[in-house]
Amino acid sequence: MTAPAREHSPGLFIRGFTPPLSWRDFGLIAFDMDSTLINIECVDEIAAACGRKDEVAAITEAAMRGEITDYKESLRQRVALLGGVDVRYLQQVYDERLQLNPGATELVAAAKAAGLKTLLVSGGFTFFTDRIRDRLGIDFTRSNVLEVAEGRLTGRMVDQPWGDICDGEEKRRMLLATCAQLGLAPTQAIAVGDGANDLPMMGEAGLSVAYHAKPRVREQAMVAIDQGGLDRLLEIVRA
C-alpha cells in the first residue's frame, strides 16, 4: 500500500522521505514535456488547425488519466486526425501557444549547476522537443517524429532506430539507459511528470515528482506539486 502523503508546505506534498534532500544524491533529472515542462499538449494544439481539437483532446485526457491502457494506439489515433495539417502550423503553435511552465527554467538551471545531466522524454514530437532542448540546454531527448509529405502532416509517425513510439515503457527504458550511460544507479535519478505514461519512469527513479498531475500520478509520486511552479522542488532538494 502506498504511504499517505503529507503537506510539506501549502500545495506541496511529500511521501516516504524526510526533506531536505541533497543534489549530491542525484546525477540525472528526467522531464516529461507536455503539461510538465510546457503549458500545452502539443498534439491538441496542432489538432486545432483542422478543427479537431476537442476530439483529440478527449483522447489525450483519457490517456493521461490512465483510462486508455494502449498509449501507442491512442497516439496513433490522435496523429491520424492531424493528416493534412500544414507543417507551418507547428511553428505557429510554438510561437503563439507554447510557453515554459513557471519555474521550469529555474529548476533546470539549478539541476545543471549542481552537476546533474538532464533528460527530456516525451510522447510528443521532435519538432517541439528539439526546440525545448535547445532553449533549456537539455542533454538528452527522446520523442516521436511526425511524418511530412509535400509540406503537410501525413497522419503517421516515422519509426526510429530505437522503436516506433515513445510511450511509458520507452520513457522507462530511456531513463534506465541514460543512467547506465552515465554510470548511475536509477535511484540517482529524479523523474518529473504529470500523466499515466510517466509512471513507468517515475517508478524507477529515486525521486518521483508529480507536477499538477492527474490523480493516479499524484497518488503514486513521492513529491506532488499542486500549487506554484516546478521550482518548488527546490524547497525539498537543496545543495
Side-chain angles (χ1 to χ4, degrees), residues 82-95:
L82 307 181
V85 172
D86 192 309
V87 293
R88 291 176 295 184
Y89 189 74
L90 276 64
Q91 188 65 48
Q92 187 177 336
V93 169
Y94 181 80
D95 292 338

Side-chain angles (χ1 to χ4, degrees), residues 46-207:
I46 299 169
C50 53
R52 290 175 169 168
K53 182 173 180 178
D54 290 347
E55 187 177 355
V56 170
I59 301 173
T60 300
E61 177 68 13
M64 292 303 98
R65 293 178 69 89
E67 295 164 2
I68 297 176
T69 55
D70 190 340
Y71 178 85
K72 288 187 177 184
E73 183 55 32
S74 80
L75 186 59
R76 290 189 187 100
Q77 290 174 11
R78 285 175 282 166
V79 170
L81 293 170
L82 307 181
V85 172
D86 192 309
V87 293
R88 291 176 295 184
Y89 189 74
L90 276 64
Q91 188 65 48
Q92 187 177 336
V93 169
Y94 181 80
D95 292 338
E96 299 179 5
R97 305 191 185 194
L98 185 152
Q99 297 178 15
L100 293 173
N101 270 329
T105 301
E106 291 82 357
L107 178 56
V108 171
K112 290 170 69 70
L116 277 72
K117 295 296 184 180
T118 50
L119 168 65
L120 175 56
V121 277
S122 174
F125 312 116
T126 52
F127 182 91
F128 300 101
T129 57
D130 287 354
R131 286 160 174 76
I132 296 302
R133 175 199 64 202
D134 295 345
R135 191 166 168 180
L136 292 174
I138 300 287
D139 296 299
F140 309 99
T141 63
R142 178 145 295 176
S143 58
N144 303 303
V145 179
L146 291 168
E147 185 180 68
V148 177
E150 299 180 353
R152 294 186 177 274
L153 302 182
T154 66
R156 296 184 294 272
M157 288 170 284
V158 179
D159 288 353
Q160 299 181 71
W162 48 263
D164 55 355
I165 290 175
C166 185
D167 61 352
E169 181 57 27
E170 183 57 36
K171 290 186 178 192
R172 184 188 76 85
R173 283 196 295 264
M174 185 60 179
L175 179 122
L176 293 176
T178 306
C179 284
Q181 178 180 341
L182 297 172
L184 301 171
T187 52
Q188 293 173 280
I190 301 170
V192 187
D194 75 300
N197 67 331
D198 298 315
L199 286 172
M201 73 167 179
M202 292 170 70
E204 296 285 356
L207 182 65

Side-chain angles (χ1 to χ4, degrees), residues 8-9 11-14 17 19-24 26 29 31 102-116 118 190 192 207 209-211 223-225 227-239:
H8 176 69
S9 56
L12 182 64
F13 296 83
I14 62 173
F17 70 95
L21 302 176
S22 172
W23 285 118
R24 292 188 297 273
F26 303 99
I29 185 166
F31 295 96
T105 301
E106 291 82 357
L107 178 56
V108 171
K112 290 170 69 70
L116 277 72
T118 50
I190 301 170
V192 187
L207 182 65
V209 182
Y211 179 70
V223 178
I225 301 172
Q227 298 175 21
L230 284 160
D231 55 341
R232 292 208 65 189
L233 185 61
L234 302 178
E235 298 177 30
I236 292 171
V237 185
R238 302 175 186 170

